Amino acid sequence: MAERAAKGRAGKQIDMTQGSMWDKILLFSIPVAVTAILQQLYNTADIAVAGQLVGTNAEAGVGSNAFIISLLVSLFQGISLGANVVVATAIGAGDAERAHRAVHTAVLLALIGGVAFALLTQLLVTPLLVALSVPAEVFDFAASYLRVYLLGLPIIFLYDFEAAILRSVGDTWSPLRALAVSSVLNLALDVLVAGPLGQGTVGLAVTTILSNGVAVAILLHGLLHTDTEVRLVPSDLRLDAWAMRRILSVGLPAGIQSALFSVANIVIQGAINGLGATVMAGSSASASIESISYYNINAFGQAATTFVGQNNGARRQDRCAKTLRLCLLEGYGVCGVFIALILVFGRQLVGIFNPDPAVIAEGYTRICYVISAHLFSISIEVFSGYLRGYGISLPPAVWTFFSIVVVRLAYVFFLYPGDPTFTHLLLVYPITLGLNAAGLIALYFMMRQGDAPSVS
């Protein structure tokens, strides 16, 4: 029995502190990327079904929420990285007791935080949509979808934390399997509620919550029955002061850094909304396609965080440095292929969301500008992930605030009005991503001058 249990642990966990690394980073990153893509497809499926079965205004309404939803998802995933780093570092150091405290604090923190966000954001629906300049003809579609979606934030937050906990021991397949099941369910329910049942955008939001709930239940079952260091014991659920402080000190800046991209994009979305429903629909479709490339990039950033976290805990600084090099090399290789494929087949991909030739043309224009700029995003995610693995989370967030939020706001309010066209607006992406990448690389070299602090 003990031998079988050991095999089960080996089949799920990745030994990040011993042996070759290039294959383990790939084995870790690929499921993370696919999981993130499936998570994005929740909203993407809603946009596509709305466009095909409800109408262009419904599609534009659901799509206009994409950046708000992206902000919340980015914030939650970033905060959950705090749990990933703390648990991974404790495991690398062989401290099972601290890992246990961190796991139970993280789960309870997710539940409390999710409920708080769900209640608070209900008050912000109308102001946010007004700030985004959502046109009157699509406003009701956007508001009804967003209000219902926000009620599901506790479920979404809990999934992110469950997945982060499992990834801290190298189990990236369980989150993928759970989300695969719920994604298929979500698409089937979307078609049902928007088609035969005719429930429109409200029905689409409800199916998203229900499907996410299925993923949460699957991961919860896994955590309750795992034989690894992250087993969940319900009677041990409590907020541990040390664990909560460490999780939030790493996770909050990481979440804010991720969310800052969405904050800046919300301002850009407001400018896009002023260009009409056709540009809005094309841009929404393109943004969903771009996420396929971005989440592959982000996966290597998460790999850098987790591998550095465990090896820093084990005091294997040589493997931390090797993690950075391999994540950059493999990230550029894998993501370069996706970028090329999306550029070649971009028009056909936009057409899946909306067959209107005008929408396809606007969507492909955006793809050409934004996807090319993703070459900068690889350095952004990997260098940020490396520093975060050491618990260095605040400096990257501060630089991101300046290079992404401040510069994009300045561009939209001062440069864009001089030539208020879609292509001129899209130039903001390569400019700011290149600036952000350069600053994070410089920050890495500055941090190398001293000893990187460990999370303890």
Side-chain angles (χ1 to χ4, degrees), residues 24-389:
K24 293 176 182 178
I25 288 173
L26 278 179
L27 287 173
F28 182 99
S29 300
I30 291 173
V32 171
V34 177
T35 300
I37 291 169
L38 287 176
Q39 197 165 17
Q40 172 65 27
L41 286 178
Y42 274 101
N43 187 241
T44 301
D46 291 349
I47 295 171
V49 171
Q52 297 291 340
L53 298 180
V54 184
T56 298
N57 283 343
E59 179 194 6
V62 175
S64 66
N65 290 315
F67 290 112
I68 299 174
I69 292 172
S70 177
L71 185 152
L72 292 170
V73 170
S74 297
L75 178 64
F76 289 177
Q77 288 178 342
I79 295 173
S80 72
L81 282 176
N84 178 286
V85 171
V86 176
V87 176
T89 304
I91 290 172
D95 194 335
E97 189 269 336
R98 279 196 167 184
H100 183 81
R101 287 156 55 192
V103 166
H104 291 77
T105 297
V107 170
L108 196 54
L109 192 61
L111 290 171
I112 295 172
V115 171
F117 272 101
L119 295 176
L120 176 63
T121 52
Q122 289 295 323
L123 303 175
L124 302 176
V125 171
T126 298
L128 282 172
L129 295 178
V130 170
L132 284 171
S133 303
V134 175
E137 64 269 22
V138 305
F139 194 94
D140 288 342
F141 290 106
S144 60
Y145 179 88
L146 186 57
R147 287 192 184 280
V148 177
Y149 179 92
L150 293 174
L151 294 175
L153 291 183
I155 294 173
I156 297 169
F157 208 2
L158 183 55
Y159 172 83
D160 288 331
F161 267 75
E162 288 174 333
I165 290 168
L166 289 166
R167 288 169 186 156
S168 68
V169 292
D171 181 5
T172 57
W173 288 100
S174 292
L176 173 56
R177 286 193 293 266
L179 208 60
V181 171
S182 60
S183 294
V184 172
L185 177 63
N186 181 60
L187 181 58
L189 291 176
D190 273 355
V191 174
L192 178 64
V193 301
L197 297 182
Q199 296 301 304
T201 55
V202 171
L204 294 175
V206 170
T207 63
T208 297
I209 296 174
L210 293 176
S211 302
N212 270 298
V214 170
V216 166
I218 292 172
L219 291 190
L220 181 60
H221 180 271
L223 286 171
L224 290 170
H225 295 89
T226 182
D227 55 1
T228 68
E229 298 94 326
V230 297
R231 182 169 185 171
L232 186 66
V233 181
S235 60
D236 290 347
L237 284 171
R238 59 182 56 87
L239 293 176
D240 178 83
W242 167 83
M244 184 168 64
R245 184 175 66 253
R246 294 309 311 168
I247 290 170
L248 292 179
S249 68
V250 176
L252 276 178
I256 292 170
Q257 180 182 349
S258 297
L260 286 175
F261 283 89
S262 296
V263 170
N265 286 341
I266 286 175
V267 176
I268 296 173
Q269 181 64 32
I272 290 172
N273 290 345
L275 297 174
T278 299
V279 173
M280 286 176 64
S283 181
S284 295
S286 173
S288 298
I289 296 164
E290 293 155 16
S291 67
I292 297 174
S293 169
Y294 170 75
Y295 286 123
N296 278 279
I297 295 167
N298 180 261
F300 287 96
Q302 290 197 40
T305 295
T306 309
F307 276 72
V308 170
Q310 277 212 20
N311 283 288
N312 181 46
R315 301 296 187 263
R316 296 293 308 274
Q317 302 307 320
D318 58 321
R319 293 179 69 85
C320 292
K322 190 174 182 180
T323 293
L324 176 64
R325 293 194 299 270
L326 288 173
C327 284
L328 284 171
L329 288 172
E330 294 180 20
Y332 273 105
V334 171
C335 300
V337 171
F338 276 92
I339 291 171
L341 289 173
I342 291 172
L343 287 173
V344 171
F345 298 104
R347 291 184 179 85
Q348 293 88 334
L349 291 171
V350 174
I352 295 173
F353 297 89
N354 194 307
D356 185 339
V359 172
I360 292 173
E362 299 292 359
Y364 188 71
T365 297
R366 177 185 164 112
I367 282 176
C368 291
Y369 280 84
V370 179
I371 283 292
S372 300
H374 277 187
L375 292 172
F376 296 121
S377 297
I378 298 170
S379 293
I380 291 171
E381 294 298 331
V382 173
F383 278 99
S384 293
Y386 174 86
L387 293 170
R388 199 173 293 131

